[in-house]
Amino acid sequence: MAFDMYCRNRKESIGHHEEEFFSYINENESYPELNAMWKNLYDGPRIDSDQSNRIVHELVALRAILSDADRKRYSSLVDRLQLFFSHSYLSKEFVRCVGD
């Protein structure tokens, strides 16, 4: 386990091997919610449904700038995160995060 996220009865994880993904957003002002999540990754952040919606939009924008190789490498993670945070937004449920 690296970073687990829970939203009601759903669970998603970002594994240690996937953390490199955050190098794309690190300190980039275009991704404030993803940066906040990265900076607080192991502090157990709580993400409300409006933040989840903004994260989904940031992930869409980020996917557009990924190189072909990295799009292939991270597409599964981006897809999983988009679905998870979309669920949070649509259900108006917060996301509880737990890092190891």
Side-chain angles (χ1 to χ4, degrees):
M1 171 188 93
F3 185 70
D4 290 334
M5 299 169 286
Y6 302 91
C7 181
R8 194 163 266 230
N9 62 345
R10 293 192 183 211
K11 178 187 175 202
E12 189 53 70
S13 296
I14 299 173
H16 287 295
H17 66 284
E18 296 173 314
E19 289 179 12
E20 188 178 311
F21 168 77
F22 285 99
S23 67
Y24 276 96
I25 55 94
N26 194 20
E27 303 301 321
N28 186 327
E29 294 177 6
S30 298
Y31 310 103
E33 297 296 339
L34 288 169
N35 267 303
M37 189 168 79
W38 173 242
K39 287 177 183 173
N40 298 302
L41 199 64
Y42 295 105
D43 293 333
R46 180 176 160 146
I47 299 168
D48 68 35
S49 62
D50 289 332
Q51 288 173 293
S52 290
N53 187 40
R54 292 190 296 270
I55 289 171
V56 169
H57 286 88
E58 289 179 17
L59 288 166
V60 169
L62 183 59
R63 180 189 288 272
I65 67 160
L66 292 175
S67 67
D68 288 340
D70 285 337
R71 189 173 299 123
K72 185 179 287 187
R73 181 177 178 189
Y74 295 118
S75 66
S76 174
L77 173 63
V78 172
D79 289 346
R80 291 187 347 250
L81 294 177
Q82 283 180 298
L83 289 171
F84 181 78
F85 286 107
S86 289
H87 170 75
S88 166
Y89 174 68
L90 293 172
S91 66
K92 301 296 183 206
E93 295 286 336
F94 71 90
V95 172
R96 182 176 55 88
C97 304
V98 179
D100 61 354

